[in-house]
Coordinates of all heavy atoms in Angstrom, one line a residue:
S10 N 4.8 10.3 -6.8 CA 5.8 10.5 -7.7 C 5.2 10.9 -9.0 O 5.8 11.9 -9.7 CB 6.7 9.3 -7.9 OG 7.8 9.5 -8.9
T46 N 11.7 34.7 -20.9 CA 11.3 33.9 -19.8 C 10.1 33.0 -20.1 O 10.1 31.8 -19.7 CB 11.0 34.8 -18.5 OG1 12.1 35.6 -18.3 CG2 10.8 33.9 -17.3
S47 N 9.1 33.6 -20.8 CA 8.0 32.8 -21.2 C 8.3 31.6 -22.0 O 7.9 30.5 -21.9 CB 6.9 33.7 -21.9 OG 5.8 33.0 -22.3
M50 N 10.1 29.0 -19.9 CA 9.2 28.2 -19.0 C 8.4 27.3 -19.8 O 8.1 26.2 -19.4 CB 8.3 29.2 -18.2 CG 9.1 30.1 -17.2 SD 10.1 29.2 -16.1 CE 8.9 28.2 -15.2
A69 N -3.1 3.8 -33.3 CA -4.3 4.6 -33.1 C -4.1 5.6 -31.9 O -4.5 6.8 -31.9 CB -5.5 3.8 -32.9
R74 N -3.1 11.1 -29.8 CA -2.3 12.0 -29.1 C -1.8 13.1 -29.9 O -1.9 14.3 -29.4 CB -1.2 11.2 -28.5 CG -0.1 12.1 -27.7 CD 1.0 11.2 -27.1 NE 2.0 12.0 -26.5 CZ 3.0 11.5 -25.8 NH1 3.1 10.2 -25.5 NH2 3.9 12.3 -25.3
L76 N -3.2 14.3 -32.5 CA -4.4 15.2 -32.9 C -4.7 16.1 -31.8 O -5.1 17.2 -32.0 CB -5.6 14.3 -33.3 CG -5.5 13.6 -34.7 CD1 -6.7 12.8 -34.9 CD2 -5.4 14.7 -35.8
Y94 N -6.1 40.9 -33.4 CA -7.3 41.5 -34.0 C -8.1 42.4 -32.9 O -8.5 43.5 -33.2 CB -8.3 40.4 -34.6 CG -9.6 41.0 -35.1 CD1 -9.6 41.6 -36.3 CD2 -10.7 40.9 -34.3 CE1 -10.9 42.1 -36.7 CE2 -11.9 41.3 -34.7 CZ -12.0 41.9 -36.0 OH -13.2 42.4 -36.4
A104 N 3.6 40.6 -30.0 CA 4.5 39.7 -29.2 C 3.8 38.5 -28.8 O 4.4 37.4 -28.8 CB 5.1 40.5 -28.0
V115 N 5.5 24.0 -32.0 CA 6.1 22.9 -31.3 C 5.0 21.9 -30.9 O 5.3 20.7 -31.1 CB 6.7 23.5 -30.0 CG1 7.3 22.4 -29.1 CG2 7.9 24.4 -30.3
M116 N 3.8 22.4 -30.4 CA 2.8 21.5 -30.1 C 2.2 20.6 -31.3 O 1.8 19.5 -31.1 CB 1.6 22.1 -29.4 CG 1.8 22.7 -28.0 SD 0.5 23.4 -27.2 CE 1.1 23.7 -25.6
G121 N 10.7 19.2 -35.4 CA 11.8 18.4 -35.8 C 12.2 17.3 -34.7 O 13.0 16.4 -35.0
E123 N 9.8 15.2 -33.4 CA 8.8 14.2 -33.4 C 9.2 13.0 -34.2 O 10.1 13.1 -35.1 CB 7.4 14.7 -33.8 CG 7.4 14.9 -35.3 CD 8.0 16.2 -35.7 OE1 8.6 16.9 -34.8 OE2 8.1 16.4 -36.9
R125 N 8.8 10.7 -37.1 CA 8.1 10.7 -38.5 C 8.1 9.4 -39.2 O 8.0 9.3 -40.3 CB 8.8 11.7 -39.4 CG 8.7 13.2 -38.8 CD 9.5 14.2 -39.7 NE 9.4 15.5 -39.3 CZ 8.5 16.3 -39.8 NH1 7.6 16.0 -40.6 NH2 8.5 17.7 -39.3
Y154 N -8.5 42.6 -47.6 CA -9.7 43.3 -48.4 C -10.4 44.3 -47.6 O -10.8 45.4 -48.0 CB -10.5 42.3 -49.0 CG -11.7 42.8 -49.8 CD1 -11.7 43.5 -50.9 CD2 -13.0 42.8 -49.0 CE1 -12.8 44.1 -51.6 CE2 -14.1 43.4 -49.6 CZ -14.0 44.0 -50.9 OH -15.1 44.5 -51.5
G164 N -7.2 51.0 -37.7 CA -7.0 50.8 -36.3 C -7.6 49.6 -35.7 O -7.5 49.3 -34.5
T172 N -1.3 39.6 -41.6 CA 0.2 39.4 -41.7 C 0.6 38.1 -40.8 O 1.2 37.2 -41.2 CB 1.0 40.5 -41.3 OG1 0.7 41.7 -42.1 CG2 2.5 40.2 -41.3
L174 N -1.5 35.8 -40.0 CA -2.1 34.5 -40.6 C -1.2 34.0 -41.7 O -1.0 32.8 -41.9 CB -3.5 34.9 -41.1 CG -4.6 34.9 -40.1 CD1 -5.9 35.5 -40.8 CD2 -4.9 33.5 -39.6
W182 N 3.6 25.6 -43.9 CA 4.0 25.0 -45.2 C 5.4 24.6 -45.3 O 5.8 23.5 -45.8 CB 3.7 26.0 -46.3 CG 4.0 25.5 -47.7 CD1 5.0 25.8 -48.4 CD2 3.2 24.6 -48.5 NE1 5.0 25.2 -49.7 CE2 3.8 24.4 -49.7 CE3 1.9 24.0 -48.3 CZ2 3.3 23.6 -50.7 CZ3 1.4 23.1 -49.2 CH2 2.1 22.9 -50.5

Side-chain angles (χ1 to χ4, degrees):
S10 178
T46 305
S47 178
M50 297 306 297
R74 175 175 174 173
L76 287 177
Y94 175 78
V115 174
M116 287 188 177
E123 74 282 359
R125 295 177 179 267
Y154 171 78
T172 302
L174 280 169
W182 180 262

